[in-house]
Amino acid sequence: MRDGAERTLSITVDELDLEAETQTARGGRGGNNNDTAQEASSGFGMSLSNITPRIAQELRLESDQRGAIVVDVEPQSPAAQAGIQPRDIIVRVGRTAVNNAAEASRELGRVPSGGTAFLRVLRNGQETFVTVTKE
């Protein structure tokens, strides 16, 4: 029912290919969707993207999950050395909750060179605390 009238909908249920979603987030096939805009975390060696509905479904996240998903971690970077992994979701940088990749990137950018970022990360349904020192 919608607006007092009964409506019939056709839906298709399919399995998400997270590999393809990640390629789209990295600027590959799929066009320029703002939901998949990628942000670099200067000095930390990781790339972030927004959580799309498809990624949220694949990772079995709550539909209202906020944060920035890590789509890439450079080998030997500060993020890699701290244990950050692709598919981690950054939900806080310091004391600031982040809703998307742009906010996370902005907060990470406020950390001075040689400074430490204190991150709250969601991984496999569990929140963990990670410290990363900026180059």
Side-chain angles (χ1 to χ4, degrees):
M1 296 289 289
R2 178 175 257 172
D3 298 326
E6 187 173 314
R7 296 191 183 185
T8 302
L9 300 173
S10 297
I11 63 168
T12 302
V13 178
D14 197 5
E15 189 171 333
L16 175 66
D17 179 359
L18 188 59
E19 209 48 48
E21 269 309 294
T22 302
Q23 287 296 329
T24 300
R26 290 181 181 165
R29 294 176 295 121
N32 291 333
N33 183 343
N34 286 340
D35 286 343
T36 59
Q38 189 171 340
E39 298 282 335
S41 62
S42 181
F44 291 100
M46 61 183 165
S47 298
L48 309 173
S49 185
N50 294 331
I51 301 170
T52 65
R54 293 188 76 181
I55 289 173
Q57 180 183 15
E58 169 68 20
L59 298 178
R60 302 181 195 278
L61 302 173
E62 297 292 325
S63 61
D64 62 346
Q65 179 66 55
R66 302 283 186 239
I69 187 165
V70 177
V71 293
D72 190 40
V73 179
E74 295 174 19
Q76 308 304 316
S77 68
Q81 292 173 4
I84 299 289
Q85 302 172 9
R87 294 180 162 199
D88 282 351
I89 298 170
I90 299 173
V91 295
R92 288 179 102 55
V93 177
R95 294 184 174 153
T96 304
V98 294
N99 293 309
N100 55 45
E103 289 180 13
S105 184
R106 181 187 69 230
E107 292 303 314
L108 288 167
R110 291 181 174 166
V111 176
S113 183
T116 300
F118 301 94
L119 308 178
R120 187 171 300 167
V121 174
L122 182 63
R123 179 183 298 153
N124 299 325
Q126 300 291 319
E127 281 196 16
T128 187
F129 183 74
V130 179
T131 60
V132 186
T133 301
K134 187 174 184 177
E135 290 183 329

